[in-house]
Amino acid sequence: MTSRPLQPDPAENDLRQIPVWMGKYASARKAALGMILWYGFYLFFCAAMAGLIYAGGFARRGGHTSLVYLCVAGLVLVVAGLICFVICFSIPSWNTRFLTWLIGKIPASEGEATPACPAVATQLNRWYVWSGVALLIGGIQVDLILGFLGYITPKYMQPVSALTTVPFLVLVYFAVRPSGASALILLWPLLYTVHAILIVCDVPPFALPGFWQSNAILISTAGYGLLMAVFMLIYSRFALRRVRRLARVQSPGGSSLEG
Amino acid sequence: MENPDPIIHDASRLRIVMVLSGAGTADFNFLRSTLQITNGNLSSHMSRLESAGYVAVEKSFRGKVPHTAYRLTKAGRKAVAEYWAMMDAIRGGAGK
């Protein structure tokens, strides 16, 4: 008599896939909502900085010294606010608490599910946060200032900013990873890098007229961030459909087989 | 031969723990809409899982609306792992 194991039951394989797709749904949804929040705040801060820098440049050219100082003071406050936001958002426990509160405010017909936290935040994650903050200060902000003061041509502001923005975004991902953030977040620095390469190769993905050319950084940052958030929301809906298909109780009338 | 854990070895409860094993927490509405079972049915299953120590319950309020979230405990995760190990063993030993 031959002995061979029974073939795996396809229904059992479906059940084993549930945690996989459940994790993808929860992490993609959380990341999408987090990125939309990030996008909104970042856009606000960058718009405030751009406005202050533009006003400062205008005041400097017009010789209004007190207005220049006022703009610089405002810029310092806005940068400080942005740094505080980045820190709060990048510390996994604060991130999780804030996003849990936010997710609770957003009605979801399917109910709520949070991703499993794969690890506890360590000192290394905090190092990621501080490194990212340092890059943020030394990178895109200086780039914006130099750009508006005319030291970098508007065309190359985005590629120059990519030198610090891309590592910053990657560091933020590693900082929030313990709270169950999806790896799809890395699409954002990937798109930002591709955009920079295309500009350097003289094949810009989109042409902006006049004033808007100087704001290419804001548009590419916010735009790719929003695009990535939308993609992750769509992916989370796809993952939820898979979970539902795999987890639906198959017995007649939806009743369970009581044990 | 040992029998599978009767708490886990149930069509609905097995799916419940599999959903919870892929998430940090899931609330009552999510489990109900995902599994497409009735409120009463789900409450009954969650009570059994909680009594067995496999699921932890977190009750809160969102404004004036009660909110109940569930999390798989360490004992629950261990029970699920042992369940599948037993099923694999049964499947591998069958036919001898």
Side-chain angles (χ1 to χ4, degrees), chain A residues 4-7 12 15-16 19 22-23 25 104 110-116 244 247-248 256-259, chain B residues 10 12 14-15 18-19 21-27 30 33-36 45 48 62 84 87-88 91 94:
Chain A
R4 57 177 183 174
L6 292 176
Q7 293 303 309
E12 267 190 26
L15 291 175
R16 293 182 201 237
M22 189 61 210
Y25 158 75
E110 73 265 22
E112 293 173 21
T114 60
R244 284 179 168 172
R248 281 287 147 84
S256 66
L257 302 172
E258 295 291 347
Chain B
D10 171 271
S12 295
L14 179 56
R15 282 159 175 79
M18 292 307 282
V19 168
S21 65
T25 62
D27 72 0
F30 184 87
S33 66
T34 300
L35 297 163
Q36 288 284 292
H45 289 305
R48 286 199 73 174
R62 299 283 168 87
W84 286 116
M87 297 304 289
D88 290 339
R91 195 167 297 286

mmCIF file of all heavy atoms in Angstrom, chain A residues 4-7 12 15-16 19 22-23 25 104 110-116 244 247-248 256-259, chain B residues 10 12 14-15 18-19 21-27 30 33-36 45 48 62 84 87-88 91 94:
data_model
loop_
_atom_site.group_PDB
_atom_site.id
_atom_site.type_symbol
_atom_site.label_atom_id
_atom_site.label_comp_id
_atom_site.label_asym_id
_atom_site.label_seq_id
_atom_site.Cartn_x
_atom_site.Cartn_y
_atom_site.Cartn_z
ATOM 1 N N ARG A 4 0.740 8.367 0.703
ATOM 2 C CA ARG A 4 1.098 9.697 0.251
ATOM 3 C C ARG A 4 0.157 10.695 0.918
ATOM 4 O O ARG A 4 -0.989 10.383 1.248
ATOM 5 C CB ARG A 4 1.005 9.812 -1.272
ATOM 6 C CG ARG A 4 -0.326 9.465 -1.817
ATOM 7 C CD ARG A 4 -0.370 9.666 -3.318
ATOM 8 N NE ARG A 4 -1.710 9.391 -3.795
ATOM 9 C CZ ARG A 4 -2.101 9.576 -5.034
ATOM 10 N NH1 ARG A 4 -1.267 10.050 -5.920
ATOM 11 N NH2 ARG A 4 -3.320 9.298 -5.396
ATOM 12 N N PRO A 5 0.652 11.850 1.149
ATOM 13 C CA PRO A 5 -0.189 12.832 1.834
ATOM 14 C C PRO A 5 -1.355 13.246 0.943
ATOM 15 O O PRO A 5 -1.278 13.192 -0.277
ATOM 16 C CB PRO A 5 0.766 14.015 2.062
ATOM 17 C CG PRO A 5 1.848 13.845 1.074
ATOM 18 C CD PRO A 5 1.975 12.386 0.833
ATOM 19 N N LEU A 6 -2.458 13.603 1.613
ATOM 20 C CA LEU A 6 -3.608 14.116 0.881
ATOM 21 C C LEU A 6 -3.226 15.420 0.201
ATOM 22 O O LEU A 6 -2.389 16.171 0.688
ATOM 23 C CB LEU A 6 -4.786 14.358 1.830
ATOM 24 C CG LEU A 6 -5.430 13.117 2.439
ATOM 25 C CD1 LEU A 6 -6.501 13.530 3.432
ATOM 26 C CD2 LEU A 6 -6.026 12.235 1.357
ATOM 27 N N GLN A 7 -3.848 15.701 -0.922
ATOM 28 C CA GLN A 7 -3.615 16.974 -1.600
ATOM 29 C C GLN A 7 -4.197 18.093 -0.748
ATOM 30 O O GLN A 7 -5.210 17.919 -0.085
ATOM 31 C CB GLN A 7 -4.283 16.971 -2.979
ATOM 32 C CG GLN A 7 -3.648 15.981 -3.945
ATOM 33 C CD GLN A 7 -2.169 16.249 -4.114
ATOM 34 O OE1 GLN A 7 -1.754 17.372 -4.377
ATOM 35 N NE2 GLN A 7 -1.352 15.230 -3.936
ATOM 36 N N GLU A 12 -8.545 25.477 2.238
ATOM 37 C CA GLU A 12 -7.556 25.734 3.284
ATOM 38 C C GLU A 12 -6.518 26.718 2.803
ATOM 39 O O GLU A 12 -6.079 27.600 3.550
ATOM 40 C CB GLU A 12 -6.848 24.426 3.668
ATOM 41 C CG GLU A 12 -7.480 23.715 4.831
ATOM 42 C CD GLU A 12 -6.604 22.574 5.317
ATOM 43 O OE1 GLU A 12 -5.374 22.633 5.129
ATOM 44 O OE2 GLU A 12 -7.182 21.632 5.875
ATOM 45 N N LEU A 15 -7.842 30.107 3.141
ATOM 46 C CA LEU A 15 -7.859 30.593 4.519
ATOM 47 C C LEU A 15 -6.470 31.061 4.942
ATOM 48 O O LEU A 15 -6.322 32.057 5.652
ATOM 49 C CB LEU A 15 -8.345 29.484 5.460
ATOM 50 C CG LEU A 15 -9.814 29.097 5.333
ATOM 51 C CD1 LEU A 15 -10.135 27.913 6.219
ATOM 52 C CD2 LEU A 15 -10.719 30.261 5.661
ATOM 53 N N ARG A 16 -5.456 30.359 4.502
ATOM 54 C CA ARG A 16 -4.086 30.748 4.880
ATOM 55 C C ARG A 16 -3.666 32.059 4.235
ATOM 56 O O ARG A 16 -2.728 32.711 4.698
ATOM 57 C CB ARG A 16 -3.098 29.652 4.487
ATOM 58 C CG ARG A 16 -3.280 28.370 5.289
ATOM 59 C CD ARG A 16 -2.235 27.351 4.886
ATOM 60 N NE ARG A 16 -2.645 25.997 5.224
ATOM 61 C CZ ARG A 16 -1.941 25.180 6.006
ATOM 62 N NH1 ARG A 16 -0.811 25.586 6.543
ATOM 63 N NH2 ARG A 16 -2.370 23.965 6.263
ATOM 64 N N PRO A 19 -4.569 36.225 6.299
ATOM 65 C CA PRO A 19 -3.710 37.177 7.024
ATOM 66 C C PRO A 19 -2.814 37.996 6.094
ATOM 67 O O PRO A 19 -2.539 39.167 6.375
ATOM 68 C CB PRO A 19 -2.857 36.271 7.923
ATOM 69 C CG PRO A 19 -3.609 35.006 8.039
ATOM 70 C CD PRO A 19 -4.332 34.844 6.746
ATOM 71 N N MET A 22 -5.027 40.609 4.508
ATOM 72 C CA MET A 22 -5.490 41.475 5.584
ATOM 73 C C MET A 22 -4.397 42.471 5.958
ATOM 74 O O MET A 22 -4.657 43.668 6.139
ATOM 75 C CB MET A 22 -5.854 40.598 6.794
ATOM 76 C CG MET A 22 -6.541 41.327 7.910
ATOM 77 S SD MET A 22 -8.090 42.049 7.397
ATOM 78 C CE MET A 22 -8.115 43.434 8.513
ATOM 79 N N GLY A 23 -3.172 41.988 6.054
ATOM 80 C CA GLY A 23 -2.045 42.875 6.352
ATOM 81 C C GLY A 23 -1.836 43.908 5.251
ATOM 82 O O GLY A 23 -1.582 45.085 5.539
ATOM 83 N N TYR A 25 -4.118 45.075 3.182
ATOM 84 C CA TYR A 25 -5.216 46.045 3.238
ATOM 85 C C TYR A 25 -4.965 47.070 4.349
ATOM 86 O O TYR A 25 -5.006 48.276 4.118
ATOM 87 C CB TYR A 25 -6.548 45.321 3.480
ATOM 88 C CG TYR A 25 -7.612 46.224 4.059
ATOM 89 C CD1 TYR A 25 -8.258 47.172 3.259
ATOM 90 C CD2 TYR A 25 -7.939 46.183 5.406
ATOM 91 C CE1 TYR A 25 -9.203 48.036 3.794
ATOM 92 C CE2 TYR A 25 -8.882 47.038 5.933
ATOM 93 C CZ TYR A 25 -9.514 47.961 5.133
ATOM 94 O OH TYR A 25 -10.437 48.814 5.666
ATOM 95 N N GLY A 104 -10.361 57.100 12.939
ATOM 96 C CA GLY A 104 -11.644 57.046 13.621
ATOM 97 C C GLY A 104 -12.593 58.145 13.180
ATOM 98 O O GLY A 104 -13.808 58.013 13.285
ATOM 99 N N GLU A 110 -16.805 49.742 5.770
ATOM 100 C CA GLU A 110 -16.408 48.367 6.083
ATOM 101 C C GLU A 110 -15.963 48.196 7.528
ATOM 102 O O GLU A 110 -15.663 47.094 7.953
ATOM 103 C CB GLU A 110 -15.253 47.924 5.163
ATOM 104 C CG GLU A 110 -13.895 48.549 5.463
ATOM 105 C CD GLU A 110 -13.628 49.767 4.621
ATOM 106 O OE1 GLU A 110 -14.614 50.367 4.127
ATOM 107 O OE2 GLU A 110 -12.452 50.128 4.452
ATOM 108 N N GLY A 111 -15.934 49.269 8.332
ATOM 109 C CA GLY A 111 -15.403 49.157 9.688
ATOM 110 C C GLY A 111 -13.920 49.480 9.688
ATOM 111 O O GLY A 111 -13.363 49.899 8.689
ATOM 112 N N GLU A 112 -13.278 49.280 10.819
ATOM 113 C CA GLU A 112 -11.874 49.669 10.953
ATOM 114 C C GLU A 112 -10.988 48.478 11.252
ATOM 115 O O GLU A 112 -11.356 47.581 12.016
ATOM 116 C CB GLU A 112 -11.712 50.655 12.118
ATOM 117 C CG GLU A 112 -12.360 51.978 11.906
ATOM 118 C CD GLU A 112 -12.289 52.818 13.159
ATOM 119 O OE1 GLU A 112 -11.428 52.539 14.023
ATOM 120 O OE2 GLU A 112 -13.116 53.729 13.289
ATOM 121 N N ALA A 113 -9.820 48.508 10.650
ATOM 122 C CA ALA A 113 -8.804 47.509 10.968
ATOM 123 C C ALA A 113 -7.454 48.205 10.910
ATOM 124 O O ALA A 113 -7.202 48.989 9.998
ATOM 125 C CB ALA A 113 -8.842 46.353 9.969
ATOM 126 N N THR A 114 -6.623 47.941 11.891
ATOM 127 C CA THR A 114 -5.301 48.550 11.914
ATOM 128 C C THR A 114 -4.257 47.491 11.607
ATOM 129 O O THR A 114 -4.470 46.306 11.876
ATOM 130 C CB THR A 114 -4.995 49.170 13.285
ATOM 131 O OG1 THR A 114 -5.059 48.130 14.276
ATOM 132 C CG2 THR A 114 -6.007 50.233 13.641
ATOM 133 N N PRO A 115 -3.125 47.923 11.025
ATOM 134 C CA PRO A 115 -2.099 46.924 10.703
ATOM 135 C C PRO A 115 -1.383 46.451 11.966
ATOM 136 O O PRO A 115 -1.318 47.167 12.964
ATOM 137 C CB PRO A 115 -1.141 47.694 9.788
ATOM 138 C CG PRO A 115 -1.340 49.124 10.122
ATOM 139 C CD PRO A 115 -2.753 49.270 10.581
ATOM 140 N N ALA A 116 -0.855 45.246 11.884
ATOM 141 C CA ALA A 116 -0.039 44.740 12.978
ATOM 142 C C ALA A 116 1.285 45.491 12.976
ATOM 143 O O ALA A 116 1.809 45.834 11.917
ATOM 144 C CB ALA A 116 0.206 43.244 12.794
ATOM 145 N N ARG A 244 -12.321 39.676 1.679
ATOM 146 C CA ARG A 244 -13.743 39.321 1.766
ATOM 147 C C ARG A 244 -14.044 38.042 1.003
ATOM 148 O O ARG A 244 -14.803 37.200 1.458
ATOM 149 C CB ARG A 244 -14.595 40.460 1.222
ATOM 150 C CG ARG A 244 -14.709 41.617 2.195
ATOM 151 C CD ARG A 244 -15.525 42.747 1.637
ATOM 152 N NE ARG A 244 -15.856 43.700 2.687
ATOM 153 C CZ ARG A 244 -16.426 44.869 2.471
ATOM 154 N NH1 ARG A 244 -16.750 45.225 1.240
ATOM 155 N NH2 ARG A 244 -16.706 45.680 3.477
ATOM 156 N N ALA A 247 -12.612 35.185 3.045
ATOM 157 C CA ALA A 247 -13.094 34.995 4.413
ATOM 158 C C ALA A 247 -14.595 34.758 4.511
ATOM 159 O O ALA A 247 -15.086 34.458 5.587
ATOM 160 C CB ALA A 247 -12.739 36.217 5.265
ATOM 161 N N ARG A 248 -15.316 34.899 3.396
ATOM 162 C CA ARG A 248 -16.767 34.712 3.457
ATOM 163 C C ARG A 248 -17.089 33.309 3.927
ATOM 164 O O ARG A 248 -16.552 32.339 3.399
ATOM 165 C CB ARG A 248 -17.416 34.890 2.082
ATOM 166 C CG ARG A 248 -17.623 36.282 1.613
ATOM 167 C CD ARG A 248 -18.738 37.017 2.312
ATOM 168 N NE ARG A 248 -18.376 38.419 2.405
ATOM 169 C CZ ARG A 248 -18.560 39.320 1.440
ATOM 170 N NH1 ARG A 248 -19.147 38.953 0.317
ATOM 171 N NH2 ARG A 248 -18.181 40.553 1.611
ATOM 172 N N SER A 256 -22.870 29.403 11.037
ATOM 173 C CA SER A 256 -21.630 28.685 11.259
ATOM 174 C C SER A 256 -21.926 27.247 11.600
ATOM 175 O O SER A 256 -23.039 26.873 11.951
ATOM 176 C CB SER A 256 -20.860 29.324 12.393
ATOM 177 O OG SER A 256 -21.567 29.175 13.587
ATOM 178 N N LEU A 257 -20.869 26.425 11.488
ATOM 179 C CA LEU A 257 -20.967 25.040 11.910
ATOM 180 C C LEU A 257 -20.509 25.017 13.360
ATOM 181 O O LEU A 257 -19.320 25.078 13.631
ATOM 182 C CB LEU A 257 -20.070 24.149 11.036
ATOM 183 C CG LEU A 257 -20.369 24.194 9.539
ATOM 184 C CD1 LEU A 257 -19.314 23.440 8.759
ATOM 185 C CD2 LEU A 257 -21.738 23.608 9.258
ATOM 186 N N GLU A 258 -21.460 25.054 14.293
ATOM 187 C CA GLU A 258 -21.106 25.174 15.695
ATOM 188 C C GLU A 258 -20.349 23.949 16.166
ATOM 189 O O GLU A 258 -20.750 22.832 15.891
ATOM 190 C CB GLU A 258 -22.369 25.360 16.558
ATOM 191 C CG GLU A 258 -23.095 26.655 16.290
ATOM 192 C CD GLU A 258 -22.300 27.857 16.781
ATOM 193 O OE1 GLU A 258 -21.315 27.671 17.534
ATOM 194 O OE2 GLU A 258 -22.657 28.979 16.413
ATOM 195 N N GLY A 259 -19.288 24.134 16.877
ATOM 196 C CA GLY A 259 -18.494 23.046 17.425
ATOM 197 C C GLY A 259 -18.680 22.876 18.914
ATOM 198 O O GLY A 259 -19.269 23.719 19.539
ATOM 199 N N ASP B 10 -13.867 25.778 13.707
ATOM 200 C CA ASP B 10 -15.244 26.169 13.415
ATOM 201 C C ASP B 10 -15.160 27.115 12.225
ATOM 202 O O ASP B 10 -14.267 27.957 12.159
ATOM 203 C CB ASP B 10 -15.848 26.882 14.638
ATOM 204 C CG ASP B 10 -17.197 27.506 14.321
ATOM 205 O OD1 ASP B 10 -17.216 28.681 13.884
ATOM 206 O OD2 ASP B 10 -18.213 26.818 14.486
ATOM 207 N N SER B 12 -16.724 29.765 11.148
ATOM 208 C CA SER B 12 -16.701 31.216 11.369
ATOM 209 C C SER B 12 -15.537 31.631 12.252
ATOM 210 O O SER B 12 -14.834 32.601 11.949
ATOM 211 C CB SER B 12 -18.019 31.670 12.012
ATOM 212 O OG SER B 12 -19.092 31.466 11.129
ATOM 213 N N LEU B 14 -12.710 30.187 12.791
ATOM 214 C CA LEU B 14 -11.429 30.049 12.094
ATOM 215 C C LEU B 14 -11.182 31.266 11.212
ATOM 216 O O LEU B 14 -10.075 31.830 11.211
ATOM 217 C CB LEU B 14 -11.425 28.775 11.257
ATOM 218 C CG LEU B 14 -10.158 28.508 10.438
ATOM 219 C CD1 LEU B 14 -8.910 28.476 11.322
ATOM 220 C CD2 LEU B 14 -10.287 27.209 9.655
ATOM 221 N N ARG B 15 -12.202 31.706 10.511
ATOM 222 C CA ARG B 15 -12.041 32.894 9.659
ATOM 223 C C ARG B 15 -11.812 34.152 10.491
ATOM 224 O O ARG B 15 -11.036 35.027 10.119
ATOM 225 C CB ARG B 15 -13.262 33.054 8.750
ATOM 226 C CG ARG B 15 -13.246 32.113 7.562
ATOM 227 C CD ARG B 15 -14.628 31.914 6.967
ATOM 228 N NE ARG B 15 -14.553 31.095 5.751
ATOM 229 C CZ ARG B 15 -14.436 29.778 5.756
ATOM 230 N NH1 ARG B 15 -14.410 29.118 6.885
ATOM 231 N NH2 ARG B 15 -14.348 29.113 4.605
ATOM 232 N N MET B 18 -8.245 34.120 11.594
ATOM 233 C CA MET B 18 -7.342 34.351 10.460
ATOM 234 C C MET B 18 -7.338 35.830 10.071
ATOM 235 O O MET B 18 -6.292 36.391 9.735
ATOM 236 C CB MET B 18 -7.744 33.487 9.268
ATOM 237 C CG MET B 18 -7.514 31.995 9.490
ATOM 238 S SD MET B 18 -5.834 31.593 10.007
ATOM 239 C CE MET B 18 -4.976 31.688 8.440
ATOM 240 N N VAL B 19 -8.499 36.487 10.117
ATOM 241 C CA VAL B 19 -8.548 37.925 9.833
ATOM 242 C C VAL B 19 -7.755 38.688 10.903
ATOM 243 O O VAL B 19 -6.942 39.558 10.591
ATOM 244 C CB VAL B 19 -10.009 38.425 9.778
ATOM 245 C CG1 VAL B 19 -10.073 39.946 9.779
ATOM 246 C CG2 VAL B 19 -10.712 37.877 8.536
ATOM 247 N N SER B 21 -5.378 37.608 12.731
ATOM 248 C CA SER B 21 -3.944 37.299 12.737
ATOM 249 C C SER B 21 -3.193 38.123 11.702
ATOM 250 O O SER B 21 -1.971 38.232 11.780
ATOM 251 C CB SER B 21 -3.709 35.807 12.499
ATOM 252 O OG SER B 21 -4.135 35.440 11.205
ATOM 253 N N GLY B 22 -3.914 38.720 10.730
ATOM 254 C CA GLY B 22 -3.259 39.567 9.741
ATOM 255 C C GLY B 22 -3.330 41.047 10.080
ATOM 256 O O GLY B 22 -2.830 41.889 9.341
ATOM 257 N N ALA B 23 -3.970 41.365 11.214
ATOM 258 C CA ALA B 23 -4.153 42.775 11.570
ATOM 259 C C ALA B 23 -3.697 43.013 13.001
ATOM 260 O O ALA B 23 -3.493 42.072 13.762
ATOM 261 C CB ALA B 23 -5.625 43.154 11.422
ATOM 262 N N GLY B 24 -3.541 44.279 13.345
ATOM 263 C CA GLY B 24 -3.288 44.635 14.739
ATOM 264 C C GLY B 24 -4.593 44.532 15.508
ATOM 265 O O GLY B 24 -4.726 43.794 16.470
ATOM 266 N N THR B 25 -5.577 45.305 15.027
ATOM 267 C CA THR B 25 -6.919 45.224 15.590
ATOM 268 C C THR B 25 -7.930 45.289 14.458
ATOM 269 O O THR B 25 -7.635 45.754 13.359
ATOM 270 C CB THR B 25 -7.222 46.394 16.550
ATOM 271 O OG1 THR B 25 -7.156 47.620 15.804
ATOM 272 C CG2 THR B 25 -6.241 46.460 17.695
ATOM 273 N N ALA B 26 -9.133 44.763 14.747
ATOM 274 C CA ALA B 26 -10.246 44.899 13.809
ATOM 275 C C ALA B 26 -11.500 45.101 14.650
ATOM 276 O O ALA B 26 -11.652 44.460 15.694
ATOM 277 C CB ALA B 26 -10.379 43.657 12.932
ATOM 278 N N ASP B 27 -12.342 46.006 14.214
ATOM 279 C CA ASP B 27 -13.519 46.260 15.045
ATOM 280 C C ASP B 27 -14.685 45.368 14.631
ATOM 281 O O ASP B 27 -14.610 44.614 13.648
ATOM 282 C CB ASP B 27 -13.888 47.758 15.050
ATOM 283 C CG ASP B 27 -14.492 48.231 13.728
ATOM 284 O OD1 ASP B 27 -14.639 47.431 12.788
ATOM 285 O OD2 ASP B 27 -14.816 49.430 13.648
ATOM 286 N N PHE B 30 -16.086 45.760 11.112
ATOM 287 C CA PHE B 30 -15.214 45.215 10.069
ATOM 288 C C PHE B 30 -15.369 43.700 9.980
ATOM 289 O O PHE B 30 -15.493 43.139 8.881
ATOM 290 C CB PHE B 30 -13.754 45.576 10.350
ATOM 291 C CG PHE B 30 -12.819 45.119 9.266
ATOM 292 C CD1 PHE B 30 -12.584 45.927 8.169
ATOM 293 C CD2 PHE B 30 -12.192 43.884 9.332
ATOM 294 C CE1 PHE B 30 -11.742 45.506 7.144
ATOM 295 C CE2 PHE B 30 -11.346 43.458 8.320
ATOM 296 C CZ PHE B 30 -11.126 44.271 7.214
ATOM 297 N N SER B 33 -18.824 42.855 8.423
ATOM 298 C CA SER B 33 -18.951 43.126 6.986
ATOM 299 C C SER B 33 -18.024 42.222 6.177
ATOM 300 O O SER B 33 -18.344 41.835 5.060
ATOM 301 C CB SER B 33 -18.635 44.598 6.684
ATOM 302 O OG SER B 33 -17.280 44.879 6.957
ATOM 303 N N THR B 34 -16.893 41.847 6.739
ATOM 304 C CA THR B 34 -15.955 40.999 5.997
ATOM 305 C C THR B 34 -16.441 39.557 5.946
ATOM 306 O O THR B 34 -16.351 38.897 4.911
ATOM 307 C CB THR B 34 -14.568 41.054 6.656
ATOM 308 O OG1 THR B 34 -14.101 42.410 6.641
ATOM 309 C CG2 THR B 34 -13.561 40.182 5.919
ATOM 310 N N LEU B 35 -16.951 39.075 7.074
ATOM 311 C CA LEU B 35 -17.347 37.674 7.143
ATOM 312 C C LEU B 35 -18.798 37.454 6.726
ATOM 313 O O LEU B 35 -19.202 36.319 6.481
ATOM 314 C CB LEU B 35 -17.157 37.158 8.583
ATOM 315 C CG LEU B 35 -15.711 37.182 9.062
ATOM 316 C CD1 LEU B 35 -15.636 37.066 10.577
ATOM 317 C CD2 LEU B 35 -14.925 36.056 8.424
ATOM 318 N N GLN B 36 -19.560 38.571 6.643
ATOM 319 C CA GLN B 36 -20.972 38.482 6.246
ATOM 320 C C GLN B 36 -21.743 37.529 7.149
ATOM 321 O O GLN B 36 -22.416 36.594 6.703
ATOM 322 C CB GLN B 36 -21.097 38.014 4.783
ATOM 323 C CG GLN B 36 -20.679 39.075 3.784
ATOM 324 C CD GLN B 36 -21.721 40.168 3.620
ATOM 325 O OE1 GLN B 36 -22.811 39.956 3.092
ATOM 326 N NE2 GLN B 36 -21.407 41.363 4.101
ATOM 327 N N HIS B 45 -19.587 34.217 18.721
ATOM 328 C CA HIS B 45 -18.248 33.681 18.423
ATOM 329 C C HIS B 45 -17.177 34.469 19.163
ATOM 330 O O HIS B 45 -16.221 33.876 19.698
ATOM 331 C CB HIS B 45 -17.985 33.723 16.922
ATOM 332 C CG HIS B 45 -18.794 32.739 16.137
ATOM 333 N ND1 HIS B 45 -18.785 31.388 16.413
ATOM 334 C CD2 HIS B 45 -19.638 32.910 15.093
ATOM 335 C CE1 HIS B 45 -19.589 30.766 15.574
ATOM 336 N NE2 HIS B 45 -20.127 31.663 14.756
ATOM 337 N N ARG B 48 -16.946 33.443 22.768
ATOM 338 C CA ARG B 48 -16.242 32.161 22.948
ATOM 339 C C ARG B 48 -14.739 32.341 22.811
ATOM 340 O O ARG B 48 -13.954 31.757 23.560
ATOM 341 C CB ARG B 48 -16.742 31.126 21.945
ATOM 342 C CG ARG B 48 -18.124 30.583 22.291
ATOM 343 C CD ARG B 48 -18.433 29.291 21.608
ATOM 344 N NE ARG B 48 -17.687 28.155 22.162
ATOM 345 C CZ ARG B 48 -17.877 26.900 21.806
ATOM 346 N NH1 ARG B 48 -18.768 26.615 20.875
ATOM 347 N NH2 ARG B 48 -17.187 25.927 22.336
ATOM 348 N N ARG B 62 -16.748 56.537 20.481
ATOM 349 C CA ARG B 62 -16.433 57.562 19.482
ATOM 350 C C ARG B 62 -17.564 58.583 19.588
ATOM 351 O O ARG B 62 -18.624 58.401 19.013
ATOM 352 C CB ARG B 62 -16.405 56.947 18.072
ATOM 353 C CG ARG B 62 -15.367 55.861 17.915
ATOM 354 C CD ARG B 62 -13.983 56.449 17.763
ATOM 355 N NE ARG B 62 -12.945 55.445 17.883
ATOM 356 C CZ ARG B 62 -12.490 54.703 16.895
ATOM 357 N NH1 ARG B 62 -13.030 54.815 15.685
ATOM 358 N NH2 ARG B 62 -11.539 53.827 17.096
ATOM 359 N N TRP B 84 -2.906 24.927 12.578
ATOM 360 C CA TRP B 84 -2.455 24.639 11.211
ATOM 361 C C TRP B 84 -1.372 23.568 11.190
ATOM 362 O O TRP B 84 -1.303 22.766 10.256
ATOM 363 C CB TRP B 84 -1.964 25.920 10.532
ATOM 364 C CG TRP B 84 -3.072 26.823 10.135
ATOM 365 C CD1 TRP B 84 -3.325 28.073 10.612
ATOM 366 C CD2 TRP B 84 -4.112 26.551 9.203
ATOM 367 N NE1 TRP B 84 -4.446 28.596 10.027
ATOM 368 C CE2 TRP B 84 -4.965 27.667 9.147
ATOM 369 C CE3 TRP B 84 -4.428 25.442 8.388
ATOM 370 C CZ2 TRP B 84 -6.083 27.743 8.340
ATOM 371 C CZ3 TRP B 84 -5.560 25.518 7.572
ATOM 372 C CH2 TRP B 84 -6.374 26.652 7.550
ATOM 373 N N MET B 87 -3.254 20.399 11.372
ATOM 374 C CA MET B 87 -3.914 20.097 10.103
ATOM 375 C C MET B 87 -2.902 19.580 9.090
ATOM 376 O O MET B 87 -3.187 18.644 8.333
ATOM 377 C CB MET B 87 -4.617 21.344 9.555
ATOM 378 C CG MET B 87 -5.745 21.861 10.437
ATOM 379 S SD MET B 87 -7.000 20.627 10.787
ATOM 380 C CE MET B 87 -7.811 20.470 9.220
ATOM 381 N N ASP B 88 -1.722 20.176 9.085
ATOM 382 C CA ASP B 88 -0.674 19.695 8.169
ATOM 383 C C ASP B 88 -0.245 18.295 8.542
ATOM 384 O O ASP B 88 0.005 17.462 7.662
ATOM 385 C CB ASP B 88 0.543 20.643 8.223
ATOM 386 C CG ASP B 88 0.264 21.984 7.591
ATOM 387 O OD1 ASP B 88 -0.685 22.070 6.766
ATOM 388 O OD2 ASP B 88 0.959 22.964 7.913
ATOM 389 N N ARG B 91 -2.954 15.901 7.496
ATOM 390 C CA ARG B 91 -2.956 15.736 6.054
ATOM 391 C C ARG B 91 -1.774 14.903 5.596
ATOM 392 O O ARG B 91 -1.874 14.077 4.708
ATOM 393 C CB ARG B 91 -2.926 17.111 5.385
ATOM 394 C CG ARG B 91 -3.272 17.083 3.922
ATOM 395 C CD ARG B 91 -3.521 18.506 3.418
ATOM 396 N NE ARG B 91 -4.671 19.103 4.089
ATOM 397 C CZ ARG B 91 -5.924 18.777 3.834
ATOM 398 N NH1 ARG B 91 -6.193 17.849 2.943
ATOM 399 N NH2 ARG B 91 -6.904 19.359 4.485
ATOM 400 N N ALA B 94 -2.401 11.105 6.706
ATOM 401 C CA ALA B 94 -3.578 10.420 6.156
ATOM 402 C C ALA B 94 -3.165 9.594 4.933
ATOM 403 O O ALA B 94 -2.252 9.925 4.196
ATOM 404 C CB ALA B 94 -4.630 11.447 5.717
#
